[in-house]
Amino acid sequence: MEIRHHGIAVSPGVAIGPAFVIHTEGVRITHQTVSPEHIPCEINRLHKALEEAATEARENRLRITALHGAAIGNIFAAQGSIFEDPGFRNQTETLIRTQCFSAEYAVSRVMREFVRRLEESALKSVAEQHKAEVRRRAKDFIDIERQILLLLQGENSEPLGELTEPVIILAADLMPSETADFSPRTVHAFATESGGGTSHTAILAGALEIPAVVGLGRFLSDVSGGDTVIVDGEEGILIIDPDEATIARYEEKRAAERSRADRYDSLRDKTSTTSDGTPIRLLGNIELAQEASHCLERGAEGVGLYRTEFLYLNKTSDPTEEEHFDAYRSVVQTLGPTRPVVIRTLDLGADKFSSMSDVVGVEKNPFLGLRSVRLCLRKLDLFKTQLRAILRVAVLGNVKVMFPMISTVDELRQCKALLNEVKEDLEDAGIPFKRDLSVGTMIEVPSAALVADILAREVDFFSIGTNDLIQYTLAADRNNENVAHLYNPTDPAVLRLIKRVVEAADKEQIEVNVCGEMSGEPLYAPLLVGLGLRQLSVTPRKVPEIKRVIRQLRVDEAKRLAEYALNMDTARHVGSYLRDQLRRILPEVAD
Ligand code: PEP
Ligand code: MG
């Protein structure tokens, strides 16, 4: 029966395909069903795997009991009793015989049913101790399922990095480094139980252009590997076992998306100018050097944010100066000599590759800890290595440097002083570099927004990072689905801070850009233009849609809209007002 789960939409697109459940399988259930003549063979495989599992459990019990005593050894006794349980064996066999399920799929279905019942019982229980005990048992069943599946698949297990056929990945959570290994060719979408809309896993999904939904809450007990699922990355929906009518509807939606993408292609070479002639520069946000070409394909005028910390993906040591340089050079060469490329210095820590740094250690509040530029200012060698590479590559194009997470004026001054030191080193060594490199700062901490008037006198440009600015202003973790209702770009507090930053930039006549995810949402484009923004940096895929809204917009009308929104009391009111306005300006995009 069709089951729907609602979560946070993080990367648009519709995908329909077989589920690959990560944390239990680690291997893929390649065949859901077998032909009737293969049923005896499947039952044999099942028996063999259960016998092997029971033997392993007995051996483990003896070994662990000798090492750690009977209490711990008995965990394996409990597992062993499942492998030998006639009830479990009969239920699984019945599914193979009556439904022609493969042994793997039948085991998974039976186990998932056990887990689902246990989770239901945990939810109903009021006693915390009982709840914890039931959850522990549910986890044991997941472990048992995994053990049997691994035995069944033996040599045929298919590691995630080597998938050959398309799947939809379902997981409790995914790290950015795991997501980065996904190939859009085989991973057609993913969905996770936890996670927030602007997490770095979500941002990577956008970069790889893989439809994704996160923060769905518990759903893994409802699904087995190989089940057909639908991920709707636009609406934030996961559908397990969709019926035929639902599949047909989503196939239509997928076709409509493709034709919309084709239409947007025609916008690529059109200017990004409001209907009354004001240019609004659209730039791309990238994480990986190869995305530079996505910016050009989608008609962006340059790179407004290059998140260089992604150079740490799947690396076990700090990148060398040459590795930094090579990655930057590849982006600059793709963009050519005049298009801007804003290289942001390393924003490591918090949820981004924090395990990479020996300095960070374990922090209670990593998002308020040694993150980003704070970490760089502690690890000067690391920082200087990157700054050298940026100064050197800047002679090849229109490169700018930008510091993330600046929270005080002193911090910015320290970064600039270090940049000058590096310039002197390069000078002394006779290495070519760009002396008058343009320097900017991100405004993504409320303290920086509040002293934007002072910061504006120190830099050539601002870039407002709304992802962090929203989380720090509202004290709502950007990765935590439990507080996602507070994490709102339309909160009056956020709008006031953006207005303040734009005014400070205008007063000092420096450029100001918005590069958080907010700038890539058509809903907010009229508001941002009305607040005075003349540059937006967005996920490349979003460029055509935002351009479409801009070309439909008049600046005086956007200003009136922003003034009106600024006078509203709540995020909810601003949000619904903006939806009404977008429906008026460009109904097709709003709907
Ligand atoms: C932001 O905080 O808005 C931003 C662009 O930086 P990141 O998402 O990389 O933290
Ligand atoms: Mg940020």
Side-chain angles (χ1 to χ4, degrees), residues 106-173:
V107 166
S108 185
R109 289 309 289 231
V110 174
M111 281 297 169
R112 291 312 162 110
E113 185 55 27
F114 287 165
V115 172
R116 199 184 57 74
R117 276 198 239 132
L118 284 170
E119 281 183 349
E120 261 174 29
S121 135
L123 276 180
K124 281 187 204 138
S125 168
V126 277
E128 283 308 316
Q129 208 178 343
H130 179 249
K131 243 191 191 104
E133 174 54 28
V134 175
R135 290 232 157 97
R136 208 168 20 246
R137 282 184 51 212
K139 274 214 160 130
D140 276 350
F141 276 115
I142 291 173
D143 189 29
I144 287 167
E145 177 195 351
R146 193 185 55 83
Q147 290 180 47
I148 306 175
L149 290 181
L150 283 171
L151 284 168
L152 276 171
Q153 301 218 320
E155 298 289 296
N156 299 327
S157 68
E158 195 178 12
L160 202 51
E162 296 163 25
L163 292 172
T164 48
E165 281 171 46
V167 292
I168 293 180
I169 303 269
L170 304 178
D173 200 3

Side-chain angles (χ1 to χ4, degrees), residues 50 53-54 57-58 74-85 144:
L50 290 178
R58 269 194 300 274
N74 281 344
I75 295 173
F76 293 95
Q79 289 199 351
S81 67
I82 305 278
F83 299 132
E84 288 170 308
D85 179 47
I144 287 167

Side-chain angles (χ1 to χ4, degrees), residues 22 160 169 174 177-184 186-187 190 208 210:
I22 278 196
L160 202 51
I169 303 269
L174 289 168
S177 52
E178 290 171 306
T179 316
D181 271 342
F182 293 167
S183 151
T186 49
V187 177
F190 71 79
L208 298 169
I210 297 177

